[in-house]
Amino acid sequence: SQQGEEDPQALSIQEGENATMNCSYKTSINNLQWYRQNSGRGLVHLILIRSNEREKHSGRLRVTLDTSKKSSSLLITASRAADTASYFCATDDNNDMRFGAGTRLTVKP
Amino acid sequence: NAGVTQTPKFQVLKTGQSMTLQCAQDMNHNSMYWYRQDPGMGLRLIYYSASEGTTDKGEVPNGYNVSRLNKREFSLRLESAAPSQTSVYFCASFMDRGRGTEAFFGQGTRLTVV
């Protein structure tokens, strides 16, 4: 079964708005990563947060991790049409890397 | 650097045919993985190889075999293709599994079994 579960499954916003995606997981992890996938392409790594970190920033991306709730969120600020893609969380528990089903983000110009 | 290269990009098979999906990485990574992606299912792990000479089953290994030919190459074989194996297959590599290194993905192989 999948480890991470993203929420919502789909999100549609206007350019300039912020987009927030959530991820819940089931077991203990070493780290959690977020990936982006453009239609028909492979996944591209966005950001990694370790289990002892609570928040991390990278450009317009902000990731939080709450290990007590086994959840993470990805915030994309000031979204652009080019941010339209699917976003996946992946949990790394030292055995393998499991991905959720993803959130499909559409940013309307 | 090419990163992770998968071949072929597209393939149509008849039920019962066999084929091998090829994956090669030029980043000197130790770990290589095969995933399949189906609509609404995310990526599911088929097999992985933590290091050269080792392979292990993932979440959905039935109907597949793998070979870690050398450090660079990790192939996925379908011995007798079934329509349920219609999917997009992704190969990924990591420097070291479980040590917080990012995954690098190939562009995918879109397989249709008719």
Side-chain angles (χ1 to χ4, degrees):
Chain A
S1 61
Q2 291 169 278
Q3 165 73 307
E5 298 287 340
E6 288 92 343
D7 170 59
Q9 290 185 332
L11 181 61
S12 182
I13 59 174
Q14 293 294 136
E15 206 165 27
E17 293 180 339
N18 295 342
T20 299
M21 290 159 267
N22 302 298
C23 169
S24 59
Y25 58 92
K26 298 172 184 172
T27 64
S28 297
I29 59 172
N30 293 328
N31 63 77
L32 186 143
Q33 304 183 30
W34 284 90
Y35 288 80
R36 167 195 169 122
Q37 183 182 34
N38 286 11
S39 182
R41 309 296 294 269
L43 279 72
V44 175
H45 181 261
L46 292 176
I47 193 166
L48 179 153
I49 186 165
R50 301 189 188 281
S51 60
N52 61 354
E53 297 177 311
R54 291 297 167 258
E55 187 171 315
K56 201 160 184 180
H57 297 253
S58 177
R60 293 185 295 113
L61 305 180
R62 173 177 169 253
V63 170
T64 62
L65 179 64
D66 187 336
T67 53
S68 67
K69 295 181 179 178
K70 291 187 167 55
S71 68
S72 174
S73 67
L74 171 68
L75 168 67
I76 303 174
T77 60
S79 64
R80 305 166 182 168
D83 294 329
T84 293
S86 291
Y87 292 82
F88 295 86
C89 68
T91 53
D92 186 345
D93 64 1
N94 217 35
N95 289 311
D96 55 47
M97 181 166 281
R98 300 283 180 106
F99 289 79
T103 293
R104 175 70 190 167
L105 174 66
T106 302
V107 181
K108 300 174 187 176
Chain B
N1 283 350
V4 179
T5 303
Q6 288 182 236
T7 56
K9 287 186 171 51
F10 301 93
Q11 184 72 50
V12 178
L13 288 179
K14 294 182 179 179
T15 296
Q17 285 185 319
S18 63
M19 80 162 293
T20 299
L21 282 64
Q22 307 286 353
C23 176
Q25 52 92 8
D26 60 4
M27 296 171 283
N28 202 36
H29 285 172
N30 290 315
S31 301
M32 297 183 74
Y33 284 52
W34 276 105
Y35 293 91
R36 60 177 287 174
Q37 185 176 32
D38 302 294
M41 297 288 289
L43 279 80
R44 291 184 292 170
L45 181 62
I46 305 171
Y47 270 94
Y48 65 96
S49 170
S51 60
E52 185 180 357
T54 69
T55 60
D56 286 284
K57 295 179 180 179
E59 191 180 345
V60 288
N62 291 345
Y64 305 95
N65 283 302
V66 291
S67 295
R68 184 75 183 266
L69 303 170
N70 47 54
K71 193 169 187 179
R72 289 187 65 249
E73 299 171 290
F74 187 39
S75 63
L76 179 71
R77 183 160 178 84
L78 287 70
E79 290 291 349
S80 178
S84 61
Q85 294 177 305
T86 293
S87 188
V88 182
Y89 291 85
F90 287 99
C91 176
S93 73
F94 304 68
M95 175 57 73
D96 284 301
R97 177 172 61 93
R99 297 187 185 183
T101 60
E102 67 183 87
F104 290 81
F105 281 81
Q107 291 302 296
T109 295
R110 188 172 296 274
L111 175 66
T112 302
V113 183
V114 298

